[in-house]
Amino acid sequence: MAEDSAQEKELPASQKRKQQAREKGQVARSRDLTSSLLLLGMAAVIYLAGGWFYDMGRELLQTGLTVSAAASQDSTAMLQAAGRVLVLGAFVLAPVLLLTFVASAAGGVALGGWVFSTEALVPDFSRLDPVKGIGRLFSLTGLGELAKALLKAVVIAVIGGMVLWNERGALLGLLQVEPQLAQTQLGQITARAFLWMASGTLLVAAVDVPWQLFQMNKQLKMSRQDMQDEMRESEGNPQIKQKMRELQRERARKRMMAAVPKADVVVTNPTHYAVALAYKEGRNRAPVVLALGADLVAARIREIAAEHGVPVVEAPPLARALFHHAELEQEIPVALYNAVALLLAYVFQLRAAPQMVVEPIDWEIPADFAVNE
């Protein structure tokens, strides 16, 4: 039961999951919003420019149907006439086509933003499965689409009935005017009715937009396992990271051991810690830690130092302080300058006159840097 509950998609989608879905073209889209904007735009165009479309349509019919007897016998003249009809037809349809494109684009951009994804163009043959199709038909989404279709029909029918009731006087008045004027007035009434009914579809879109957002958020929800997998992918596999850290430590250890022969002195605990130091006058502001380690690493540092003739000095307080407070390949802390200067002076004197040098007893370790073990 615990495993089943852990797999329930109860967590909101992460930003990464939303971005991945967006790259695949999976964003909220409302067909009702797009169709509503399209109908509303066409209704507005017809209401505002219905007379122009009527005149252009009549001219288009006259141009296409009026052909002289001589032109009907001339193929060139017929082609020219057909070309004029096509140009005029394109001129009439251009505003409608442009409006369709703008409305379709606006409906999509207004809800889900501009998205271009080639993955959305890949055919999904699973949608051809009749069993899944029936399942979608009786699913919550299918019932929601049915409810929206019924709501749309009711809204349009109610608005259409209200428009006809309000225009009943004008409709009855058409019987008393000349046919040409009646035709013009009927066109105006029809355009107003179309505009009002198209505006009514915005009510359906106002219901559909939150529904589509809800469905998309529900579809993108994540289980606890999904969240853990995503975090693992983002942060990297812990086992791989551990292996990389081990490799980095191994490389650093090899680099550190290769630097021991360049040291001026190795200070020890004597067996627990070992720290190799080097100081190049004019190059370093202070002595630099070339290597440091404890136990087996310390023993290896002492071996390499002995093989290459690097002096090894037993100074437990100084070795402990350097091991705990100094950083590899960095200069020693300022607080240990005096102690290390005393050590290097002892080493340099030891090289010049080993019989006359006395090893220091007090290494002058500050209280804050003293390590008691």
Side-chain angles (χ1 to χ4, degrees):
M1 294 296 293
E3 183 178 355
D4 294 339
S5 62
Q7 297 301 320
E8 294 179 358
K9 296 184 180 298
E10 55 185 14
L11 301 177
S14 64
Q15 189 61 36
K16 180 179 179 180
R17 186 177 180 89
K18 291 180 180 179
Q19 183 61 32
Q20 290 176 342
R22 189 175 185 83
E23 292 174 356
K24 295 178 181 179
Q26 298 176 0
V27 294
R29 289 284 188 255
S30 173
R31 289 193 296 268
D32 288 315
L33 177 61
T34 302
S35 61
S36 177
L37 292 177
L38 179 59
L39 288 173
L40 188 60
M42 293 181 65
V45 169
I46 293 174
Y47 181 75
L48 297 175
W52 181 84
F53 276 104
Y54 174 78
D55 293 338
M56 294 300 297
R58 183 175 59 184
E59 183 179 349
L60 179 62
L61 288 175
Q62 289 178 348
T63 303
L65 298 178
T66 303
V67 181
S68 64
S72 64
Q73 304 297 324
D74 188 350
S75 60
T76 302
M78 290 297 296
L79 288 175
Q80 293 175 351
R84 288 193 297 270
V85 171
L86 290 176
V87 171
L88 185 60
F91 181 71
V92 175
L93 292 177
V96 178
L97 296 177
L98 179 61
L99 176 64
T100 303
F101 173 77
V102 172
S104 301
V109 173
L111 184 57
W114 179 263
V115 177
F116 179 77
S117 174
T118 56
E119 295 189 29
L121 303 177
V122 178
D124 185 4
F125 295 103
S126 63
R127 294 182 176 273
L128 301 178
D129 189 344
V131 177
K132 292 184 178 180
I134 295 175
R136 286 193 297 268
L137 184 62
F138 293 98
S139 65
L140 181 61
T141 302
L143 294 177
E145 293 295 329
L146 177 60
K148 286 190 300 177
L150 293 175
L151 176 62
K152 188 185 301 184
V154 170
V155 168
I156 293 177
V158 170
I159 294 177
M162 293 175 61
V163 171
L164 291 176
W165 179 255
N166 291 332
E167 298 287 351
R168 65 185 184 279
L171 290 173
L172 292 175
L174 297 177
L175 300 175
Q176 303 174 1
V177 298
E178 297 179 357
Q180 187 173 0
L181 180 60
Q183 186 179 13
T184 302
Q185 293 179 354
L186 180 61
Q188 294 174 350
I189 294 173
T190 304
R192 284 197 297 271
F194 186 23
L195 181 60
W196 278 109
M197 288 188 289
S199 300
T201 59
L202 288 175
L203 298 175
V204 181
V207 175
D208 184 58
V209 168
W211 171 258
Q212 295 300 332
L213 293 173
F214 169 76
Q215 287 291 98
M216 179 56 62
N217 291 332
K218 180 180 178 181
Q219 181 180 352
L220 295 180
K221 275 188 174 182
M222 306 173 66
S223 65
R224 299 185 184 277
Q225 185 62 44
D226 293 335
M227 191 68 72
Q228 293 175 1
D229 293 341
E230 182 178 294
M231 292 179 62
R232 188 178 296 113
E233 291 177 1
S234 301
E235 298 177 359
N237 191 308
Q239 297 179 350
I240 296 177
K241 292 179 66 176
Q242 178 65 22
K243 186 64 176 179
M244 291 179 63
R245 284 194 292 267
E246 291 177 359
L247 291 174
Q248 291 172 352
R249 285 196 293 267
E250 181 63 25
R251 291 174 182 173
R253 188 179 299 113
K254 291 181 179 179
R255 186 172 63 252
M256 182 178 68
M257 294 303 179
V260 172
K262 303 176 184 178
D264 293 315
V265 63
V266 173
V267 58
T268 66
N269 194 32
T271 59
H272 191 47
Y273 298 129
V275 181
L277 301 174
Y279 176 69
K280 303 299 181 183
E281 188 175 358
R283 181 185 304 176
N284 305 125
R285 295 180 303 175
V288 176
V289 178
L290 296 184
L292 77 168
D295 300 328
L296 295 178
V297 177
R300 182 56 184 161
I301 291 174
R302 293 195 301 271
E303 292 176 4
I304 296 176
E307 293 173 359
H308 293 82
V310 178
V312 178
V313 178
E314 295 182 7
L318 181 56
R320 291 195 296 266
L322 287 169
F323 181 82
H324 288 283
H325 298 289
E327 297 291 339
L328 184 63
E329 298 181 350
Q330 300 295 324
E331 295 180 354
I332 64 173
V334 176
L336 298 178
Y337 276 10
N338 290 337
V340 174
L342 188 62
L343 172 66
L344 292 176
Y346 167 71
V347 171
F348 294 151
Q349 292 174 9
L350 189 65
R351 292 175 180 173
Q355 296 82 4
M356 300 175 60
V357 180
V358 178
E359 183 175 346
I361 298 176
D362 183 9
W363 293 99
E364 302 181 11
I365 306 298
D368 294 343
F369 281 74
V371 179
N372 297 319
E373 294 183 354

